[in-house]
């Protein structure tokens, strides 16, 4: 996996299997930005950003890939709830799990309005040029992630193993961020990149 970006870096690009890839997601200072447009603010120092290492080997048409969000905790635990940044006044569509086997749609514009057990978030594009932004919580080893509302409009990621015997303090890829101009292609491309990353579907 590619090294984590520091807060001074702004995006990353590379050549994988002869195919150029570029990430438009950056962590600049204490802000997450998509193609230079801020979408999450007040990001804490323990949050890391790592560009996706490659586009899907099955579809070389993907020239823009996203980045993985991780974090470092002070101590290993089986469950962590960590803010990844504040979301304010950006319209979003999300899907959250309200029963074990059932999900439904939810829309709003601030981090405090998210529902617990959110499985996917798509931020609306802006007139100033910010593309659609997808936030997708993932599995990392024995841990599963979901998004939820945090204090003061923070978007919190909840990472849990389900067993007190399974603990960790460092995570590299609990949320995947992807950007694009078409919300339908955005989801398709993100799934292809995550497929390569997880190798599970």
């Amino acid at each position: 996996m590619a090294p984590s970006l520091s807060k001074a870096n702004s995006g990353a690009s590379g050549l994988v299997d002869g195919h150029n890839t570029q990430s438009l997601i950056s962590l600049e200072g204490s802000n997450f930005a998509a193609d230079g447009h801020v979408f999450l603010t007040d990001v804490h120092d323990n949050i890391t950003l790592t560009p996706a290492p490659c586009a899907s080997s099955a579809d070389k048409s993907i020239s823009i890939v996203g980045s993985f969000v991780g974090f470092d905790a002070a101590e290993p635990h089986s469950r962590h709830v960590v803010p990844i940044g504040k979301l304010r006044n950006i319209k979003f569509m999300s899907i959250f799990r309200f029963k074990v086997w059932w999900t439904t749609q939810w829309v709003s514009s601030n981090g405090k309005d998210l529902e617990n057990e959110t499985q996917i978030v798509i931020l609306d594009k802006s007139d100033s040029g910010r593309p659609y932004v997808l936030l997708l919580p993932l599995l990392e080893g024995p841990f599963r992630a979901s998004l939820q509302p945090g204090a003061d409009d923070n978007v919190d990621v909840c990472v849990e193993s389900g067993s007190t015997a399974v603990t960790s303090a460092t995570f590299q890829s609990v949320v995947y961020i992807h950007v694009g101009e078409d919300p339908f292609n955005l989801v398709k491309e993100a799934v292809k990149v995550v497929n390569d990353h997880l190798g599970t579907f």
Side-chain angles (χ1 to χ4, degrees):
M1 180 173 285
S4 296
L5 293 173
S6 70
K7 292 180 182 292
N9 292 121
S10 57
S13 62
L15 186 67
V16 180
D17 295 331
H19 180 63
N20 284 306
T21 61
Q22 180 182 14
S23 176
L24 298 181
I25 305 298
S26 59
L27 184 51
E28 302 173 352
S30 60
N31 298 321
F32 274 123
D35 198 16
H37 299 270
V38 173
F39 61 93
L40 292 179
T41 62
D42 295 332
V43 179
H44 293 182
D45 289 338
N46 66 325
I47 301 300
T48 62
L49 184 70
T50 304
C54 65
S56 171
S57 59
D59 188 349
K60 299 301 184 183
S61 66
I62 301 177
S63 60
I64 296 176
V65 296
S67 294
F68 295 102
V69 177
F71 65 87
D72 297 313
E75 297 180 357
H77 290 289
S78 61
R79 185 176 187 270
H80 298 271
V81 177
V82 176
I84 61 172
K86 294 180 180 179
L87 174 64
R88 287 179 171 156
N89 301 317
I90 298 178
K91 292 180 180 179
F92 69 80
M93 184 280 292
S94 65
I95 295 175
F96 73 96
R97 189 176 71 159
F98 67 97
K99 290 185 179 179
V100 174
W101 303 111
W102 294 96
T103 61
T104 192
Q105 182 182 2
W106 185 254
V107 296
S108 195
S109 57
N110 294 291
K112 66 181 179 182
D113 301 324
L114 282 168
E115 293 288 335
N116 288 324
E117 286 288 346
T118 292
Q119 308 297 306
I120 186 173
V121 176
I122 298 178
L123 307 182
D124 198 6
K125 67 178 182 179
S126 69
D127 294 335
S128 62
R130 185 190 65 246
Y132 289 101
V133 179
L134 179 144
L135 306 176
L136 185 65
L138 302 175
L139 298 173
E140 183 170 335
F143 288 82
R144 62 176 288 271
S146 63
L147 300 176
Q148 63 185 48
D152 198 21
D153 281 326
N154 270 296
V155 175
D156 285 357
V157 59
C158 176
V159 181
E160 52 194 344
S161 69
S163 170
T164 56
V166 180
T167 65
S168 184
T170 300
F171 300 89
Q172 295 181 325
S173 55
V174 291
V175 177
Y176 177 63
I177 303 178
H178 200 84
V179 301
E181 295 298 328
D182 183 311
F184 299 101
N185 287 335
L186 175 75
V187 174
K188 290 179 181 178
E189 291 181 357
V191 168
K192 289 175 182 177
V193 175
V194 171
N195 179 24
D196 275 359
H197 172 68
L198 294 176
T200 54
F201 61 92

